[in-house]
Amino acid sequence: AVFLDRDGTLVEERGYVDRLDLLSLFPWTADAVRLLNRAGFATVVVTNQAAIGRGVIDEAFLGKVHATLDARLASGNARIDGYYYCPHHPSAERLEYRKVCRCRKPGPGLIEQACEEMDLDLTGSYMVGDRWIDVRAGRAAGVGALLVRTGHGGHEADSPPDDVRADAILNNLMEAVGWILRSSSR
């Protein structure tokens, strides 16, 4: 499987996506996801969505965002196999979402949940994201971890933490997919 962060990795980073017109795919997104589909990887979005806990959006609207993303990817013959999100935040305004949890990245909970529900094998799997929390989530789940320079990755790549390393730091998702495909064919 390839676990993909959403904002800054698949789509342009726009802060909280609270309107569908803010959802903008990078030009290479459909091609990159299609390559993963054709190579036999399950593609799974794992995304922190504190906007729900903060009352900016609700879960129904998040469903519309992901349906819109699906439609745009389908027009490029690409698909996401599963969406997993964390609505929690330790300081969420909505009390039902105010908590510390394993599913909020950098925790591995979203990856673990996807593996259980989708019957995925972590062997040869990867996490791709634009933040060090994505790399940490991948490491915590026991998968390869790649950082892309899109979204927050441009400044995050310049300030690596001392306690975690990415397998590679690449310019964008298309380069990350190329790296994964080369690495998995060895």
Side-chain angles (χ1 to χ4, degrees):
V2 176
F3 301 95
L4 301 160
D5 174 55
R6 191 188 79 185
D7 302 326
T9 302
L10 289 169
V11 301
E12 292 182 23
E13 175 62 51
R14 299 277 176 93
Y16 291 139
V17 176
D18 59 355
R19 301 185 330 259
L20 292 177
D21 65 312
L22 293 177
L23 189 68
S24 180
L25 273 69
F26 289 112
W28 53 79
T29 298
D31 292 336
V33 173
R34 185 177 60 252
L35 286 170
L36 291 171
N37 297 152
R38 288 183 178 167
F41 284 95
T43 53
V44 182
V45 170
V46 290
T47 178
N48 287 347
Q49 290 297 315
I52 294 169
R54 293 178 187 229
V56 176
I57 64 170
D58 59 22
E59 292 185 71
F61 179 76
L62 181 63
K64 290 178 185 175
V65 170
H66 291 162
T68 301
L69 179 56
D70 279 341
R72 292 182 185 171
L73 288 170
S75 70
N77 296 313
R79 74 176 185 288
I80 296 296
D81 296 306
Y83 288 92
Y84 291 83
Y85 64 92
C86 174
H88 310 116
H89 194 276
S91 62
E93 286 81 8
R94 296 179 62 191
L95 291 179
E96 66 269 33
Y97 297 112
R98 184 183 301 164
K99 67 178 182 175
V100 175
C101 61
R102 279 183 63 79
C103 62
R104 183 169 177 76
K105 294 181 293 179
L110 295 175
I111 294 171
E112 293 169 347
Q113 181 184 359
C115 286
E116 183 177 317
E117 292 178 3
M118 297 176 67
D119 194 28
L120 300 173
D121 181 0
L122 289 179
T123 305
S125 293
Y126 298 90
M127 173 72 210
V128 181
D130 69 317
R131 307 207 63 172
W132 288 110
I133 62 169
D134 300 312
V135 172
R136 288 181 191 282
R139 291 290 185 228
V143 301
L146 306 176
L147 183 75
V148 292
R149 293 182 187 274
T150 49
H152 293 286
H155 61 84
E156 294 243 343
D158 294 336
S159 302
D162 291 332
D163 61 337
V164 68
R165 290 283 175 258
D167 290 306
I169 299 174
L170 301 140
N171 288 323
N172 56 51
L173 179 60
M174 183 58 87
E175 287 187 12
V177 168
W179 190 95
I180 290 167
L181 296 178
R182 285 188 303 277
S183 296
S184 66
S185 67
R186 292 182 187 156

